[in-house]
Every structure is written in C-alpha cells, then in structure tokens.
Amino acid sequence: MHQAPGRRRFLSSCASLGAGWFSGCDAVPIEGNEPPLDASPDAGIRPAPAISLAKASFIRNIPFVGEGDPEFGVLFNQGLDARKYTDLSTLESGTLDTPTDEFYVRTATPDQLDRSLPWSVRIHGLVERERSLTLDDLTAATRTLGPYLLECSGNSRQAGFGLMSQARWGGIPLLELLNDMPSTDPNARLLVTGFDSHSQASVGNRSQAGASWIFSQEQLAKTGAFLATGMNGSQLPSDHGAPVRLFVPGWYGCCSIKWVTEIEWVADDAPATSQMQEFAARTHQDGVPELARQFAPAEMDTAAMPIAVELWRIDDRELLRIVGITWGGNHAVAALEIRVGDSPWQLFDCDPSSAGPSFSLWEFVLDSPDPGTYALVLRVPDRSVRTRRLDSEFYLREIKIT
Ligand SMILES: Nc1nc2c(c(=O)[nH]1)N[C@H]1C(S)=C(S)[C@@H](COP(=O)(O)O)O[C@H]1N2
Ligand SMILES: [Mo]
C-alpha cells in the first residue's frame, strides 16, 4: 500500500511538468484549455472544474473492493502456473518503472532448463546458411531501450490488474540482428521459439507449454521488437527469460517469448503456433485463425484505469483524489472521461505526451460522494481511438465510501 507522503511528492512535482495538464495542480485553468471535445459524440460533456488539493489534508487511502485481495510482489505456484502480481498503486511520477523484483511474472523458469551449457540462439529455416548467435554476439550490440510496459493478456480484476509492469530493457532490435542473414524469401515471416519444458503440467491444463509466435517483418519493424538480455540496468533475471527473451513493445505479453532458443524464417503461409491459438481470444482475434498471417497484431488498445484513490479534506469539504494510468494504443490521448457510480461522465485532461508502449499518469479530484459503493469507469472522448477493453469495462474498479 502506498503512503501519503509519496503522493504529496508526486503532487508537488506536477508543477515542473509545465504544461499544466494536471487537474490537481494549483491554479490550472482547465476550463481555459481547449480539450479535444469535438470528437465526443456526447455533446454537453464539459471539462470538470479543477479542484486544487493545495490547502487540503490527506486523510486516508480508499482501497479497491471486489478484487480478491491478491498478495503483491510475491511469487506463488510453479512452472506454467507461477505468478507474481505487481502493486500498481505505488506508481508515481518519475518512477513509473517497476523495480525488477516486483515486476509481474507469468510462468517461472522451467525446471527442465539447463543453464550449465553455453546458450545460443539458432537462426535457421528459409536462409542460405544456418547460424548460431552466441550471448556475446547479443550483449556486444545491446543498448538501453524503453521504458516499455508489458501486460499479460490474461490480466484480471481478480489479480488487482497486477499482471502488468514497466521496465527499461537492455536489448537489440531483432531485425537489426538479422540484417546480414536475410531470408531467401522476401515475404518470409519470423518464428521465435522459447524453451518451455516443465516437468509438471499446468493444473487443469489452463496453460499450455510451447511458447512461440510468428511475426511479419513489417510487424517487427513497426514495433521495434527486440531481444532483451538486460532489465532496469542489470542482467535479465531467470524468471523473466534469461539469458535472452523477446520483447514486443505495445503488444500483449504472450508474444514476448522468454528463454529464446531459436528463430526460424518461415513461409508466408506458415500455420499459426499452438501458443498463438491458445491466446487467440485474449488477443482479440476473430475466432482462431489457422495461418499466422491471419492473426491481427496482438496490440494493446488504449486503456486507462485508476490505481489509487485517496480521501482528502479542506475544512468540512471531503475530496476524492483518483490517481490513474493510461497505456496502450498508437497515439497519445490528451483527455479522458470518468464515471463515478451513476453520476454523469466528467471530462479531464491527461498528459498529452503519453505514449502507447509506456505508462502515463493522471489524476482527477472530485467532491467525495455519499457513503456507498461506486464503480469507477473510464473512456476516451476521442472515439476514433480503438479501446476494445475499455469498451467492455474490463478495467472497472470499485471503491466503498463509508
Ligand atoms: N517460454 C515462455 N515464454 C513466455 C511465456 C511462457 O509461458 N513461456 N509466457 C508469456 C506470457 S503469457 C507473458 S504475459 C509474458 C510474461 O513475462 P514476464 O513473466 O517476464 O512478466 O511472457 C511470455 N513469454
Ligand atoms: Mo500472458
């Protein structure tokens, strides 16, 4: 659970953002800005008046209810069923990266993985000559990339949405690495495979072993997909795919194959892998396509959710401070709308410099409603932005005011 002093630090830091997009900042003339209202079909939604917390006192945190009370930052279960959830409530301006040991885990190091032999990544398939990349080849070209967030497509409210974290990565773009070993077929796709042999199957076979995903060259170029050997300035830890994992910025975590062992140039009409089929629904595919090329990019759409709610007071006036994040999608979103319980949608500005593959933080302050349980739902006023998970209220959270 985060503490109020940290929040206050965050609050005072917003002055340095300059642009004044923060509704919680002192003297921010939100009404004077021109938020992108024209795209909203709901005529009549006007920016909510900015309420300053400058003279208010922090009273307490208001926890989210109905989320199964997960324990954060602790690894539980094993192999394919292993999980660690990230506590997103602690994210603050300037520290949106998750410390490595709190980064979420989906599948821990396979117990069959033998790291005593030197690691290499086999490059084969539709190439003139097969090759093996050594770890030295990879680390020699490694540079800092990101920050980029990763979200498991199976993230859930039950898990406090804790299957999502952000880090800076040490890596090298995959296409750059393959520059001097192109395929003999200009339309070839790349099949990336990771080690995934576990002596125990997933309980109830909920997760299948066999991690691999097929990408077009265009998808790898557009996302800047890279092979990572480092995380937050240190070596990549075992549970996150050491010695080398794939990372695909902006796509769901299931595509970011861990413990990469081989990369194969395959024909344009290659069948989808079992992993692609397993994750078809969770990556918003139309049914379960047979061929890899029939899979839509597994992109995370623009999304937003509250990560912390606080009660503040000025004299007799009680205020709620809602802190949240936006992420995903291909363009920045300059405004959001929030609905608290049954009350009307309220529009507020958020960081217009936010980028899809990394987190951005926002806050909204309102008068505290009467005691009761309230759902917090967000949407993007610019309806040209694709928001499939938001549209289904996937990221709904509830608070209880007592
Ligand atoms: N080899 C292998 N790679 C894998 C997986 C796996 O089970 N085995 N899980 C995928 C899924 S579903 C997710 S969400 C991410 C999680 O990465 P993390 O544990 O580093 O957060 O790894 C992906 N890569
Ligand atoms: Mo995942």
Side-chain angles (χ1 to χ4, degrees):
M1 219 1 112
H2 68 273
Q3 295 300 309
R7 287 280 164 230
R8 289 203 191 89
R9 257 202 325 274
F10 162 37
L11 189 72
S12 58
S13 73
C14 64
S16 63
L17 288 166
W21 51 270
F22 241 62
S23 49
C25 282
D26 220 0
V28 176
I30 297 275
E31 280 130 319
N33 296 353
E34 273 308 328
L37 271 176
D38 31 314
S40 173
D42 304 79
I45 296 185
R46 285 288 167 264
I51 301 175
S52 170
L53 288 177
K55 298 200 174 69
S57 340
F58 170 82
I59 307 297
R60 61 185 166 88
N61 295 310
I62 298 189
F64 297 110
V65 295
E67 300 195 350
D69 220 4
E71 196 178 349
F72 294 113
V74 180
L75 189 75
F76 60 93
N77 295 347
Q78 43 176 305
L80 287 163
D81 291 330
R83 300 286 184 270
K84 185 191 277 184
Y85 299 140
T86 294
D87 180 3
L88 293 167
S89 76
T90 57
L91 292 184
E92 291 187 32
S93 178
T95 55
L96 294 176
D97 295 347
T98 306
T100 301
D101 62 349
E102 293 168 29
F103 198 100
Y104 89 85
V105 172
R106 192 279 189 192
T107 306
T109 313
D111 58 357
Q112 311 278 77
L113 186 76
D114 182 2
R115 286 294 313 278
S116 64
L117 299 168
W119 194 274
S120 65
V121 179
R122 191 175 153 227
I123 317 271
H124 64 117
L126 303 174
V127 276
E128 241 145 52
R129 192 171 53 88
E130 191 176 313
R131 258 191 70 172
S132 275
L133 284 173
T134 66
L135 282 185
D136 286 344
D137 294 335
L138 292 173
T139 44
T142 281
R143 53 183 185 263
T144 300
L145 301 165
Y148 295 127
L149 75 96
L150 196 64
E151 182 183 17
C152 179
S153 59
N155 204 5
S156 71
R157 194 178 164 205
Q158 207 54 27
F161 298 108
L163 289 175
M164 178 158 70
S165 325
Q166 174 172 295
R168 282 166 298 113
W169 303 91
I172 164 165
L174 188 50
L175 286 182
E176 191 179 311
L177 204 60
L178 298 175
N179 230 348
D180 58 347
M181 27 186 152
S183 175
T184 47
D185 174 356
N187 296 320
R189 289 170 183 266
L190 275 159
L191 164 61
V192 179
T193 301
F195 189 89
D196 217 21
S197 298
H198 308 261
S199 59
Q200 274 176 296
S202 156
V203 173
N205 266 320
R206 285 173 51 218
S207 297
Q208 262 104 67
S212 59
W213 204 278
I214 298 174
F215 306 88
S216 70
Q217 297 177 54
E218 189 196 348
Q219 289 167 347
L220 295 171
K222 194 176 162 202
T223 56
F226 54 90
L227 288 182
T229 55
M231 187 174 179
N232 289 329
S234 301
Q235 276 196 343
L236 188 70
S238 184
D239 284 343
H240 295 294
V244 54
R245 80 172 304 162
L246 182 68
F247 194 97
V248 189
W251 287 32
Y252 282 115
C254 47
C255 310
S256 288
I257 304 301
K258 302 196 277 191
W259 312 290
V260 170
T261 52
E262 53 183 288
I263 295 172
E264 181 181 355
W265 286 105
V266 295
D268 182 50
D269 62 354
T273 65
S274 61
Q275 161 118 344
M276 294 170 84
Q277 292 175 330
E278 178 185 354
F279 284 92
R282 279 171 270 176
T283 57
H284 307 283
Q285 306 300 325
D286 185 6
V288 184
E290 204 178 310
L291 303 182
R293 68 164 181 239
Q294 295 164 331
F295 271 68
E299 291 168 347
M300 298 177 279
D301 283 357
T302 302
M305 73 173 174
I307 56 168
V309 181
E310 300 165 353
L311 184 67
W312 290 67
R313 184 178 292 137
I314 311 179
D315 304 323
D316 286 342
R317 189 178 179 192
E318 292 202 323
L319 300 167
L320 285 190
R321 174 170 186 244
I322 303 174
V323 181
I325 48 176
T326 49
W327 73 97
N330 293 314
H331 16 235
V333 169
L336 290 170
E337 286 168 352
I338 189 167
R339 196 184 68 212
V340 179
D342 295 331
S343 55
W345 290 96
Q346 302 192 67
L347 180 75
F348 62 99
D349 287 355
C350 55
D351 185 354
S353 68
S354 65
S358 50
F359 288 138
S360 109
L361 208 56
W362 50 262
E363 70 164 40
F364 181 67
V365 180
L366 70 160
D367 281 295
S368 178
D370 295 334
T373 301
Y374 295 88
L376 306 177
V377 179
L378 286 133
R379 69 179 183 186
V380 175
D382 180 350
R383 299 289 186 269
S384 68
V385 176
R386 194 178 64 178
T387 52
R388 290 168 297 185
R389 289 215 166 171
L390 273 185
D391 297 347
S392 68
E393 299 194 353
F394 186 89
Y395 295 106
L396 176 148
R397 307 192 86 166
E398 277 182 339
I399 50 167
K400 197 172 168 184
I401 309 283
T402 47

